[in-house]
Amino acid sequence: MVDRYHEDGLPGRFEMRPRGKGFSVISIAEQVNRQGNIESVETTPVLDTRISLRAEKMSGAKALAAIVDAVNAAGGRETLKLGVVPLNLFANKTALLSASNEPVRIVLDRLFQEMKWTDSRTDSANPQVTWRLFRDTIHERFVLNLRIAEKLTRGRNGAPVRVPQ
């Protein structure tokens, strides 16, 4: 997928990194050197920022806000903003969350595992939460959007139904 993107000459450089049972697509920063050639620049992806949070039981929404605040404090400016979030899950469920100099993506994964709920349409007690990180080039920050991963299945009457994965 990423190789095809690069072959098509589209802007930006990316790489895929394994993460748990899935993967992350990481943006690789580039700049033009003095000779006019494009070269990769060593940067830390925003979700690899290391944060610490004292252990506290809180709502999912408060935990997300604490994570975003910790990222921004680590960067010394607003580098991350929270975008769209599934409120039914994050406002109504609590989690015991802590972090000790850990990458944000690991802390988010742990939070998502803590957000337990059930859905009568599926046997899964823990829906998969996915994220999309958008870059806001005007304000030079990233916007984190979350959603519950869904799969298409057949309902009792045979009609297609989307259910959490």
Side-chain angles (χ1 to χ4, degrees), residues 113-138:
Q113 289 303 310
E114 286 282 322
M115 303 305 300
K116 297 187 188 315
W117 68 300
T118 56
D119 186 306
S120 61
R121 298 171 295 170
T122 180
D123 295 331
S124 175
N126 261 12
Q128 292 181 355
V129 179
T130 63
W131 67 67
R132 288 190 180 176
L133 192 63
F134 294 98
R135 184 171 181 189
D136 177 352
T137 55
I138 294 170

Side-chain angles (χ1 to χ4, degrees), residues 12-52:
R13 305 293 300 164
F14 302 91
E15 66 180 43
M16 289 176 67
R17 293 185 188 164
R19 184 179 60 82
K21 295 179 182 177
F23 64 91
S24 290
V25 178
I26 307 295
S27 174
I28 306 300
E30 296 179 325
Q31 70 182 16
V32 178
N33 64 21
R34 291 181 185 193
Q35 293 77 32
N37 299 320
I38 296 175
E39 59 186 23
S40 296
V41 179
E42 277 294 317
T43 61
T44 300
V46 70
L47 294 182
D48 285 346
T49 302
R50 294 187 166 274
I51 62 170
S52 294

Side-chain angles (χ1 to χ4, degrees), residues 10 16 26 28 33 36 42 52-53 56 59 64 69 84-86 89 91 100 102 111 128 133 142 146 151 158:
L10 297 168
M16 289 176 67
I26 307 295
I28 306 300
N33 64 21
E42 277 294 317
S52 294
L53 300 169
E56 183 180 344
S59 73
L64 288 172
D69 289 346
V84 177
V85 175
L89 177 59
S100 180
E102 297 174 78
L111 173 63
Q128 292 181 355
L133 192 63
F142 292 89
L146 305 176
K151 64 182 176 183

Side-chain angles (χ1 to χ4, degrees), residues 58-75:
M58 61 186 98
S59 73
K62 185 175 178 186
L64 288 172
I67 291 168
V68 168
D69 289 346
V71 170
N72 293 334

Side-chain angles (χ1 to χ4, degrees), residues 1-14 30:
M1 173 174 75
V2 172
D3 290 339
R4 175 62 193 230
Y5 181 89
H6 294 155
E7 289 169 5
D8 288 346
L10 297 168
R13 305 293 300 164
F14 302 91
E30 296 179 325

